[in-house]
Structures are given as structure tokens and as C-alpha cells.
Amino acid sequence: MCSGADFWHLKGVERLGIPSVMVTDGPHGLRKQAEAADHLGINESEKAVCFPAGCATASSFDRNILKKLGETIGQECQAMGISTILGPAINIKRSPLCGRNFEYYSEDPYAASELAASMIQGVQSKNVGTSVKHFLANNQEKRRMTSSSDVDERTLREIYLTAFEGAVKEGKPWTVMNSYNRINGKYVGESKEYLTDILRNEWGFDGCAVSDWGAVNDRVESLKAGLDLEMPSSGGMNDALIVEAVKDGTLDESVVDTACERIIDIIFRYAENRDPDAKLDLREDHETAAAIEEECIVLLKNDDNILPLSKEKKVAFIGKYAESPRYQGGGSSHINSWKVESALEAVKEIAEALLAEAVKTAQEADAAVIFAGLPDNFESEGYDRKHLNMPDCQNTLIEKVAEVQKNVIVVLHNGSPVLMPWKDKVKGIVEAYLGGQAVGRAVVNILYGNVNPSGRLPETFPARLEDTPCYLTYGKGGDHAVYQEGVFVGYRYYTSVDREVLFPFGYGLSYTEFTYSGLKLDKEKMTDQDTLTVTVKVKNTGGRRGKEVVQLYVSPFTGETIRPAVELRGFDKIELEPGEEKEVSFTLDKRAFAYWKEEIHDWYVESGEYQIRIGKNAQDMVLCVPVQVQGTREIPKVYSLNSCLGPLMRDPKAQAVMGAFMGNMSQNTEADEVQKQQELQAENPDAAVSSEMMTAMMEDMPLRQLISFVPGVTREMLQQLIDALNAQKK
Ligand code: BGC
């Protein structure tokens, strides 16, 4: 049972009444292949609805939208006899170059995990399983099957594991798919630490761990680590190795039993809950795909309120994607779409007679809408991008049209950020991402104002590739992907170094205006065991109904550990009528303030002042209030001859012992010297050795140096001091 029956089926056992069930890709529609199966999206699958890809749905920042998407896909699975959909895919967008970013959600782990949990809940509410993937640190396509993601423990915890943690804890996926890559040299599929210790024991995952297709390296080791199901199969070879290992005693039979139990459990969760009435309604689901995309589109620029367009005006729709939009990415997620609705088709009712003429002569129109973006071969599963440019011909087209037409709007169809050398020459920019088969309708509804745009970027659009935090190492390390930027991924980096970007994380405009006020906390001081309730008022001060994504960031207290300038800790999407005001409430707990402390292998809150911020996006904070947070976990300090005087003198528990020691020292101590210098400097501010210099030197001076600089201090005296300090700690 521990491997697939074929490309898409789990093994059944007729004799025992265990059915063989089918799984399919995922994540944004069904890729149900009958024959000629493959995992690269090469051979055709049955017609299905292609919903907006992860890049788009994440920009809705709307848990309900993801839930709705999940429910619809779950319903389709029931109708088509699919037990589990292979998604959502939630790897962190470490670099905008990753070829598969179009499937993934965000550069922010909180956003990714929250949205994934909703999608999972939606699908599973229909008694169909999900497979959250690709666990773990699979952030590039280059050498994805052999490369090792070399990441430190803190970064894994704060960024890469966090994305999956929320999805698993809140979403409770039936299955988790392990990625192809290694982490710090070890295949994820053979890592007990990730597959069992963290996933099951820490997070409570009770489903079945599945390999990515062909990701098994050593089957026996992977089984021991907690990888229950190998997909698709190895033609029986690996199964034979399992049998052999049990026979020769190197594998405990109970490990195989446990894996089988988990697989059978997944089979029956579906088989016992088939919905006999489930029907595939492609027409209705096409409507849902359009409605979802309308919530995802991000308005990036709207100078002179060029949008929404007036139906009375002559508008030229230009560019290949006006007629045949790029609405999905390549690879295993590729859907054989039942229907594709283009913007030209959708706009026909509004401007048909003028259309042919308008496309030919942009300058004769009142405005020109250019449909541009990335072609299929620019971004796909299997390889990464080399640059952030759109094809030259598209950039030229935009520049040329902008020369003859002052009202240019660019609609982008792309799965990941692009550079926009023409940004200042156009008045409007609409980011449609890869918006699914009904993208054309959604775009037209946004352009003409039937829908007020409400998407926000779930990733930063950098100004230059060279500015990206992992630029120096991304895709360059052969079989080693070195995550040298640590936790400074995406906006965590740009905000920390105050780097200008093209469009920041969380950015997006609306046809109305929102004003924030009254940011309040239910307490000014708290411990890390308390929860903090944050409320803020948001008012629609414009003239149209619209939706706002309220974003809460925390600026961590920067004590002894370097931390990002801001981190997203809450978001909510609300709808407001003109003039209407609503209060939005967030609850923050320890994790909103904590970082992962490697020394104790746990989350840790440093005591100090934190800032609670409400932002229009990661670079535009509109309100801020401080809160004092007291960390409750004490980490005993162990002092040695190499402990420096500065931190020692600041440790309140060490002060009494240090005071006594200093008092006993001979007259001419460094401390006396500092004081002497301070007095001297007060008289002579230009003195060569200033008191600041003396203080700085003392700050970083290890205890052992006192032997050299303070007459009379001996090693024995210092050892007694250290013993006294360490005894104090206990
Ligand atoms: C992809 C997975 C996909 C699987 C099955 C793999 O190559 O990485 O995301 O689910 O194939 O098609």
C-alpha cells in the first residue's frame, strides 16, 4: 500500500474492500488525466475549469475567497471522482525569479498560511482531501530534485516552516506533500525532524505524508522518517526494499503498519463520504472563476483617475493577450480549460463597433488598454527565470503607443513581478496575474468600474533584480542553495534597509478612499502569556462602495537580536459603503512578538517596547501605538572569562556581585579611569581619549582583560567572580 498503483491512483485491496482512489493536480483546478499520465502538464487532461492561480488568489487577501475556491474545487472533485487535490502550493517566494511562483502565495509566511488554511478548509468541507505542498524550503526550480537548501534554524522556523505551520494547524490537510530537495544536505523525504518531530509531534498533523512525484531517494529511510506514501511508484522496486528491510530486521514492521493505517484512513475519509449528487457544472464554475478573479486584481496605478473607463469613450484594446490572455502557468498545474474568456470577447457588448478601428489606431481613441505580461516560456515549473524583464517587443509596444496616446492603461498577465521601464509613461496599471479562464471578464469589469478593485500585492515588486535580498546566491550555488539573507525575505528586507521598490508588499489602489483612525490596544503592558486586542477604525471617505485590506504589522523590539523592521501579524478584508465606518479587531499573542531563538530551540520574546502599526502596505504605515511586552522565559546566562563587561554590568542579577567585586579591586580600576576621563573631558571636550571611547572599550572588554589592565586582579579572583555570578543565576 505504500506506493501508488499508477500515476494517479493509490492501491486498493479488493479482498479487504479497500478501494483504489484517484488524486490529481491541483492546485487551481482539476488536471484529471485518463491516459498518458505525466507530472509536467504535457499530456491532455479532461476539460475542467481553470481558476485563478495562487499568485492571483493570494492577492485577494480574502480568506472567504480562498474558502469559496476550495469549496468549488472540492465539489468538482466529488463530481469527477477525485479523492484528493494536490494543492495548495505555498512555498515562500524567496526570489521573484522562482519559475513556480505563479502557483505560490506570498513572500510572507503568515499571509501564505492563513490563505492556505482557508483553501484547505474549503476543499475538505466537501470530504475531499488536500495535499499542501511542497514541504519544505523548495524555493527554486533549478536542480529542485537534488539541490540542498542550506538554511539556518531560525530562518526555517520564522519563514519557511511558519507558512506550513498555520496551514497544517488551522487547515488540517489530509495529506502533506514533501518536496524534492534536501535541507542542509538531507532529503526532506528522509528527515524525521521535519516529517515526524515537527509536522506530527509539534503541529499535530494526523494525515498521510506523500512524496512529490518521484521524490523518494531511499525508500526505507523515508519510511522510517515518516513518509507514508510514495507517488507515483517505483514499479515495485522500492516496495521490495521495504519487505527486505523488514525481513532482515533493519525496519520495524510497525513502521509499515502505521504508514498503511494512515493511507487507508485517507482512502476511507473520501470513500465513505462520496456525494452521490455532486455534479460538475462547468458553466457555474466559470462564473465563480470570474467572481474570484474580480477580488484578486490589483490596481497599481491610476493617475488622473484614468480608470474606471467611461463606456462613452473610444477605447482601443491592444496586445495579443487582449484576445488570448495568459491566464495560467505551465507544468503540473496546467488545466485543460473548458472555456477561455478574453477581454476582447468580454468587452464586445460595450464597444464592438469601434473595436477593430480602435485596435489599429490607438491614437484615434480616447484611451488605449494594452494587454501585456509574461509568455508561457518565461515562467514555468521546472526552471527559474533569469531576469525580471517582460519581452522586449511588449515593452516597445507600450512605449510606442504611449508616444501617440496620453491615456494608456497596461493590464498585466504574469505570475510573478516584472520590471516596468514604462511606468511613468502610462496612466494606469492593472495587475491581473494569471487570473484563470474567466480573466477577461474580470478585467473588463475592473476597467469599466463594474467592480471596484480590491486586490493587494502579496509580494514586493522590486525596482531592480539586484535589489532582491537573495540576489547574490539565488540559483548560483550548484547543488547548494545558500539562504544567506536569513529571515530578511521580501519586504522584511526592503523595509529594514529602506530600499525603494517598484511596488511594495500589500500595495493596491481602489476607486474609493479609506481613512484610518482610532488605533487602540486593550492594554499598554502585557506579558508574552497574554493576548493583545488591537482595534482600528476604517472609513470609506470616497464616493463608491469598496473593499479595503486592513494590514497590521509589528515592529519588533530590537535588542540583542537583529530583526526585520516590520512583520505582518494580521489582515482583514472589509467592505464599506461610501461614508460607512467599521471597527476592525485583531488578536495578537506571543507569536506576534517572538523570534526563534536557536539557543533554546524555541520561540522567545525579548522584553521591551514593540510598535503596533497599521499600514496601507509594508512601506506606508498610517497609524502606530507602542506596547510594552514582558518576556516570561528566562534564559540563564552562563558567564566565563570571555564575558564582556558591558552586558554583564547591565544584567540586573549580576549587579550586586559585580558591585562588590569592583569595590574590592585596587584603586586604579578601569571604571575609575572612565570616571577620571569623564571629569577631564568635561573640562576639555577635545581630549584625545574621550569618555565615550573609554565606555565603548569597557563595553566589549572580556573579564579576562582585567588581568592585564587592572593591577592586582588575578585569574583566581576572576574565577571566584565567575563562580559567584553563575551561582547567582541558579
Ligand atoms: C510537482 C507537484 C505535482 C506532481 C504531480 C510534481 O512534479 O512538483 O506539484 O503535484 O508533480 O503532477
Side-chain angles (χ1 to χ4, degrees), residues 389-499:
N389 302 327
M390 297 194 334
D392 286 347
C393 58
Q394 297 201 25
N395 285 332
T396 310
L397 173 73
I398 298 169
E399 302 265 359
K400 291 273 177 230
V401 171
E403 277 170 20
V404 298
Q405 170 57 259
K406 60 180 186 347
N407 296 326
V408 176
I409 296 115
V410 177
V411 174
L412 290 169
H413 292 297
N414 47 318
S416 44
V418 291
L419 300 181
M420 305 178 196
W422 34 260
K423 182 186 162 206
D424 296 335
K425 297 179 186 159
V426 303
K427 285 195 177 165
I429 305 175
V430 174
E431 177 53 80
Y433 275 118
L434 302 184
Q437 66 179 51
V439 64
R441 164 122 55 96
V443 166
V444 165
N445 279 339
I446 294 282
L447 289 177
Y448 283 92
N450 301 331
V451 173
N452 192 350
S454 63
R456 303 288 181 264
L457 294 179
E459 62 192 319
T460 310
F461 276 47
R464 305 179 320 146
L465 177 61
E466 293 81 352
D467 293 343
T468 53
C470 57
Y471 172 71
L472 287 176
T473 55
Y474 193 81
K476 293 178 189 137
D479 258 349
H480 285 272
V482 181
Y483 287 45
Q484 106 291 347
E485 72 284 1
V487 298
F488 292 88
V489 176
Y491 73 85
R492 283 174 167 72
Y493 171 73
Y494 301 112
T495 54
S496 299
V497 298
D498 204 12
R499 181 69 37 91

Side-chain angles (χ1 to χ4, degrees), residues 8 25 31 39 86 100 133-134 144 177 180 212-213 332 381:
W8 301 117
D25 284 307
R31 188 167 74 94
H39 65 121
L86 303 177
R100 241 180 142 172
K133 65 188 186 182
H134 311 84
R144 65 173 167 155
M177 185 191 290
Y180 288 118
D212 197 346
W213 267 229
S332 60
E381 178 174 341

Side-chain angles (χ1 to χ4, degrees), residues 599-614:
E599 203 183 322
I600 53 167
H601 306 293
D602 203 353
W603 297 102
Y604 178 73
V605 174
E606 242 180 301
S607 300
E609 185 175 278
Y610 292 74
Q611 305 297 325
I612 307 295
R613 300 179 188 276
I614 297 294

